Amino acid sequence: MNLKQKVMTLDEFTIQELRNYPGATGQLSGLLRDIGLAAKRVNVEVNKAGIADILGEAGKTNVQGESVKKLDVFANEQFINSLETSIYCCGVASEENEHFIPFTDEHSKKSKYVVLMDPLDGSSNIDVNVSIGTIFSVYRRLSPEGTECELEDFLQPGTQQIAAGYIIYGSSTMMVYATRRSVQGFTLDPSIGEFCMSHPNLKCPPDSDIFSVNVGYYHLYEQNIRHSIDHFMARNENDRIYRHRFVGCMVAEIHRTLIQGGIFMYPAFGKYLSGRLRLCYECNPMSFIMEKAGGVAMATGKQRLLELKPAQLHQRVPIFIGSKNMMETWKDIVNK
């Protein structure tokens, strides 16, 4: 162990960024620290889920009509409470709530930013101890500062994001966030209770041999999508070209893709003719992160996902995202 090695915490890094940009107000840095604090609280409960009364169903459904897990409810409350007590956020929209929540105190109304979030992605994995996560994105409000935020503040195309990130609760807990300058990764050190810099200036490898898609719905996908899956599932004389992975948690899929490269696909199918994943809470933030790391994110073979203008908070879209060169191969196939 190198005792002279400097380990930079999330707080120290955000303060350093303020020093590098003298004109910065510090609101975004403070907001990221507040999100990190809520993530640490959720992490504590995730780690003791097997012995606490937070496993299983909460006995109700969310606005999507999906069964809500007890830990979903806890995570949603923690992030909303942390952001509401902050002075850096004027409102939040959550996948778990039908409507956005404006913060009405005078300090919050003067803040610049709104936050959209999926407080606990992959919650169907909770009871079987598979990785889950939190996804968030930050936008500069369109409504006048000093007033309550409005719906249009949340319905901006992904190109307007100021920052986006995720927290993955797995074998270790990591917070990865992107600004318009870079993508940074921090790992939670449980001995000091701080997120510490572990993956500076993350870049997605341009090539990989990993593809991820739910092949259980193969026959429900459009023909050109099936053709692209056929390409990635093809075998050569060594019995394989690509490896297939599918976790069932977008945070886990994107984290692997960001670190190891690859392509993740969640096409439209069956009753989800407009796609299944949410544009505002899942697809926009993950696409922003991937693009800032050198990858590509598409809604169709010709439509850049970040350019979509949301029509409603809970809008769903298809998503195809990953390493630059693999995405170029995918686009060539589906556009034939």
Side-chain angles (χ1 to χ4, degrees), residues 29-101:
S29 298
L31 188 56
L32 291 170
R33 293 197 299 271
D34 290 335
I35 291 171
L37 174 60
K40 286 187 277 189
R41 290 171 175 162
V42 172
N43 179 69
V44 170
E45 300 306 316
V46 168
N47 286 340
K48 65 182 183 183
I51 58 174
D53 184 28
I54 54 175
L55 282 176
E57 311 293 338
K60 59 182 178 180
T61 58
N62 63 14
V63 66
Q64 313 295 330
E66 300 163 332
S67 177
V68 177
K69 303 285 185 176
K70 293 178 183 177
L71 199 53
D72 276 306
V73 175
F74 176 82
N76 193 46
E77 291 174 350
Q78 289 302 310
F79 280 98
I80 291 175
N81 290 343
S82 182
L83 292 169
E84 187 170 17
T85 56
S86 166
I87 60 173
Y88 307 115
C89 179
C90 64
V92 62
S94 169
E95 181 185 306
E96 299 299 331
N97 298 92
E98 183 175 0
H99 304 290
F100 73 93
I101 302 170

Side-chain angles (χ1 to χ4, degrees), residues 213 218-232 263 265 267-269 299-303 318 320 329-336:
V213 64
Y218 175 86
H219 294 290
L220 297 178
Y221 298 144
E222 294 180 354
Q223 187 176 47
N224 62 340
I225 302 301
R226 295 201 305 270
H227 286 166
S228 70
I229 295 173
D230 291 341
H231 169 82
F232 291 119
I263 182 171
M265 299 181 276
F269 67 95
T300 69
K302 296 181 179 180
Q303 176 66 62
F320 307 89
T329 298
W330 174 82
K331 284 193 286 184
D332 288 343
I333 296 170
V334 299
N335 288 327
K336 282 184 179 178

